[in-house]
Each structure stands twice: as structure tokens, then as C-alpha cells.
Amino acid sequence: MRHMPQIAHVDVNCFYASAERAFNPSLEGKPVIVLSNNDGCAVTRSPEAKALGIGMGDPWFKLAPRAKEWGLIALSSNYELYGDISSRVMELLGRYSAWLEVYSIDEAFLGVKGEPTHLHILGREMKDAVRAHIGVPACVGIAPTKTLAKLANKWAKNNPRFAGVCHWDSVPTAERQRLMRSLPVIEIWGVATRLTKRLNALGIHSIHDLAAANPVMIRDRFSVVMMRTVLELQGTPCIPMEEERIGKEQLIFSRSFATPITTATGIRQVMSVYGQQAAARLAKHDQQAKVLTAFAGTSHFNPHDTSYPSVCVPLPMPTADPVLLTRAAHALLPKIVDGIRYARAGIMVTDLRPSGNQSPLSLFENPHEERHIDTLLEDVTKRYGRGSIGLGHGGIRQGLNWTMKRDMLSPRYTTHWDELPLAKAG
């Protein structure tokens, strides 16, 4: 951190809605919301939608009756498009610094150096490049610490005079203090509702109050993590870069169903599909799993049916074999009660290990792994898309009415050949 005296935080504005507008300019200036899984509730709102009073998490069934009156445009979550746009944004930002931490799908931290004037120019270059080359708007906050960089970004986004770029140290001290006094402590990165109540009880109501607090007292009353936040607000870097992890600690495949499943046969197909998706993902990260957990559940809003079966299956050896993983997931089936309306199911693979670290005895070798079926599934899926290949019940084409409901899905412009945008010369 001593060699990276300044940190830039780049955040794409209203990411999902902005990604949609990048390929559909007719959405510009109109109230747009993007809905959660199964078109449930608003998870992204354009500024025009926020101006209508639409809140984060408002259910679509309540908004739909007035959508025409408001001119409100609702879209299903286009995860394929958003993931691709995110990877393009991060690749572009990586050209501006060798120190890049992708924090989420729409934001990243970069280590930057230079005088204040140079850093402000650099921030504007990054902002303009993301808009020009990717087609989405972004804001940039630059400060000595991650916490202050996030705060500077928030300021740049909400104060027009910054034009989307705020260099914290270039703002007069009195003005910075005035901002921190005006913002409640819950606005700071990492402070949630419950923690806010505890801070308020100590007389800490604003970000300025927190920055003025004694770090040792905060550590004793709360945690070392909270002490780091205080030190970061005081200008001392305490939250280091998180290096990119190779692989993951666990993988979860789970979705709510568009239509509830009422039979063990239906759940069998779900388990088969997820088991094979897990195998493909493990192969992608060159990992194997030792434990698989399968689960299902009814809706919390269903007062008549209550069933949450689950099963934990230790695998005989670390594996990414789709046959073994699917077979393990099917251990849930005896606990499924026909007639119960299951609204969700999934699997989780844990105790992940790098492939090839431990070679099994020949007596326990699996013929499916010798043939690299897991890698085959990943390669075919990557080339031809999800659903292009499957084993057993996971390859059945009919009866997929349980898959995620996306009735208002826009084209997946960059990931599906038959949905590529067309450009016509005038």
C-alpha cells in the first residue's frame, strides 16, 4: 500500500439499466427498472424511475398496474449481457493500472499515482473511456484509502459540479467536513442497519462523528474491522488489495422456480441439471469437490405446505465427475413428498481442492473421470450455450417449466449468435 498512495474507485451508474441502454438507445431518458429472478421485484432503477418514487425491492405486481400511466419500462434480468458488459469494463480499466481489484459486477478499485491534477485527468479519462468504448456511464472517486474513495465516488455521483469525477484531496477541507457531517453513518461502506443503531447509541450519528472517534475505543466496542474503517476515514490505508483467487471455496447452484414442482420426478431433473452444471464449473476452475449438499424448499408465503428437505453426501473421493455428482444429488429424492409445491431447490459443493493433488488408487478410479466428461460438458456448454448438452435426466428437453421466468428479457446481444444486434448503413 505504501507504493500505491492513491486509490481510484470506479462504479458504473445503474449498471443493469445502463447495460440495457447501451444496446437500446430508445430507453434513454425513460424510467427503466430491471427485475429480479422470476420477474419478482425491482433490483435496478434508472434515475427517472427513482424520480417516480419506485423503491429498491418494490414488487412488480404492485408496479405493473401503473406502468403504462408512468411510461415505466420493466425488463427481466439479462445476466448473460450484464456479465459480458462487466468483463469488458474491467478489461478496459485494467489498461490504466497494473493494480486492479474487481470488487463487484459493476465496480473496481485501482491503484494510481500522480499529482492531484494528473489524477483528476486520469479519472476523467477512465470515465470517458468506459462511456465511449463500452457505452455505459461511470463515476470515479480518488482518495488515499478505499473507504474514502468509495465516499468520493458517492459524492461525484450526486453532485453535478464534479461531472462524475471527485479527487478527495483536491476538495477544500471545510467542504469535506461539511459533507461528512451531512451524511448519516449508515452511508459509509460496510456499515449496516444493526451496526448503525449501536453506533447511534454511542452518539455517533454522522460519518464525521465516526471519523472523529477513537479507533481503539471502536475496536474494543465493536471489532478490528470497524477500527480499520475509522482509520481509513482518517486517511490511513488499512484495507489492502484482495488478490484474485484461483477457483472458489464453494459453489452453489440454486434458483426459485417459475412454476412450483410437485413431484420427485421433477426434482430429479433439477438435481440432474445442477449436478452437471457443478461438474462443468469445477472443471473450469480445475477443482474437485469432496462434499455435496442438496436441498429443496417450499415458499415462505405458502401457509399450507411446509417442507425443507436437505441431505449432505460425503463423496468417496474428491471429484468433478458429473455422474457421481448427479448421483449424490439424487440422494435428496427419497425426502421429496409428492403433492408438495416446492418453490426452490439447489445443490452446494464444498471442501473444494485443486484437481490432481491426490491420485486415487486404481481400485477406486472412476471411468467417467478418465474420459474427462466434466471437461467435455464445460467445453460444449461454452461453445453452444447452456442446455446444449446433458446426461440422463439433465438432458431431457421437455418439461423445463421450472426454469427461471424472464418474460421481459431483452436480447442477449453479445453472447448469443442469433441475438446479435444488426447494424444497417443509411
Side-chain angles (χ1 to χ4, degrees):
M1 298 293 293
R2 292 194 301 271
H3 302 291
M4 296 295 177
Q6 295 284 299
I7 297 173
H9 176 251
V10 184
D11 182 25
V12 179
N13 305 340
C14 303
F15 179 63
Y16 288 0
S18 296
E20 298 283 358
R21 285 173 165 174
F23 288 90
N24 186 358
S26 67
L27 298 177
E28 292 286 352
K30 298 179 181 178
V32 177
I33 61 172
V34 177
L35 303 173
S36 62
N37 293 348
N38 295 319
D39 295 339
C41 58
V43 293
T44 293
R45 304 153 295 150
S46 69
E48 298 82 3
K50 293 177 183 177
L52 291 173
I54 297 174
M56 178 67 76
D58 283 357
W60 171 238
F61 75 87
K62 290 186 177 180
L63 301 174
R66 300 194 64 185
K68 186 174 181 180
E69 172 191 346
W70 291 335
L72 178 65
I73 299 171
L75 298 168
S76 301
S77 292
N78 192 337
Y79 297 116
E80 298 87 344
L81 175 64
Y82 309 150
D84 186 62
I85 294 296
S86 174
S87 65
R88 294 172 186 236
V89 170
M90 301 310 165
E91 189 277 332
L92 177 62
L93 293 177
R95 303 177 189 179
Y96 291 89
S97 175
W99 188 83
L100 172 70
E101 177 189 335
V102 178
Y103 182 68
S104 69
I105 192 172
D106 62 345
E107 56 183 319
F109 293 102
L110 297 89
V112 292
K113 291 182 179 180
E115 299 298 323
T117 301
H118 169 75
L119 291 175
H120 194 274
I121 293 173
L122 178 64
R124 187 159 302 283
E125 286 179 356
M126 290 191 290
K127 172 182 175 294
D128 293 343
V130 170
R131 182 62 169 176
H133 298 295
I134 312 298
V136 293
C139 287
V140 181
I142 303 174
T145 71
K146 281 185 172 182
T147 303
L148 288 177
K150 289 270 286 187
L151 186 58
N153 190 302
K154 183 188 293 287
W155 203 359
K157 189 173 297 184
N158 296 315
N159 192 325
R161 79 178 179 87
F162 288 112
V165 178
C166 173
H167 181 235
W168 184 258
D169 289 341
S170 297
V171 180
T173 302
E175 192 171 347
R176 297 200 307 260
Q177 298 294 327
R178 187 163 52 250
L179 169 74
M180 296 172 75
R181 286 190 178 94
S182 67
L183 290 176
V185 70
I186 197 172
E187 293 289 337
I188 203 64
W189 181 34
V191 177
T193 304
R194 185 178 299 178
L195 186 55
T196 297
K197 293 179 179 178
R198 294 178 60 195
L199 289 168
N200 291 166
L202 292 176
I204 299 174
H205 298 277
S206 69
I207 294 178
H208 182 270
D209 295 336
L210 184 61
N214 185 319
V216 176
M217 182 273 292
I218 292 295
R219 181 199 63 191
D220 294 341
R221 293 290 187 95
F222 298 92
S223 65
V224 172
V225 174
M226 199 64 216
M227 181 185 72
R228 290 173 183 163
T229 298
V230 173
L231 290 171
E232 288 249 325
L233 288 172
Q234 295 174 354
T236 302
C238 296
I239 305 177
M241 166 189 174
E242 292 186 10
E243 296 183 2
E244 182 181 3
R245 293 180 180 177
I246 304 302
K248 299 177 180 294
E249 296 178 355
Q250 64 181 21
L251 293 174
I252 301 176
F253 296 83
S254 176
R255 285 271 169 82
S256 297
F257 305 140
T259 303
I261 295 178
T262 59
T263 65
T265 301
I267 296 294
R268 180 191 296 273
Q269 187 180 24
V270 176
M271 294 292 104
S272 299
V273 171
Y274 286 162
Q276 291 163 47
Q277 288 180 3
R281 189 72 62 82
L282 287 169
K284 178 180 180 180
H285 293 293
D286 197 26
Q287 289 186 305
Q288 296 176 322
K290 188 66 172 62
V291 179
L292 182 143
T293 302
F295 55 89
T298 52
S299 171
H300 296 290
F301 301 101
N302 184 348
H304 307 292
D305 298 331
T306 303
S307 179
Y308 300 97
S310 65
V311 61
C312 182
V313 182
L315 300 167
M317 67 188 75
T319 182
D321 176 18
V323 176
L324 290 181
L325 293 176
T326 301
R327 188 179 298 159
H330 286 176
L332 178 71
L333 300 179
K335 299 187 177 185
I336 299 298
V337 180
D338 284 347
I340 296 292
R341 293 168 58 85
Y342 292 98
R344 188 180 185 89
I347 69 168
M348 176 173 64
V349 289
T350 54
D351 196 0
L352 306 189
R353 310 168 185 192
S355 298
N357 273 18
Q358 181 178 355
S359 301
L361 299 173
S362 58
L363 179 64
F364 299 102
E365 287 181 349
N366 194 299
H368 309 115
E369 289 189 308
E370 291 178 2
R371 297 168 186 169
H372 303 291
I373 295 180
D374 52 349
T375 306
L376 173 65
L377 289 175
E378 166 63 15
D379 291 344
V380 173
T381 299
K382 184 176 181 180
R383 181 168 183 177
Y384 296 103
R386 183 172 293 182
S388 57
I389 188 173
L391 303 176
H393 290 273
I396 296 176
R397 292 286 180 167
Q398 67 272 20
L400 291 179
N401 60 342
W402 53 268
T403 53
M404 185 169 57
K405 176 183 176 183
R406 294 196 288 182
D407 291 340
M408 295 167 280
L409 182 66
S410 58
R412 294 160 291 186
Y413 298 102
T414 62
T415 59
H416 287 62
W417 285 108
D418 56 344
E419 298 178 27
L420 289 176
L422 298 177
K424 298 181 180 179

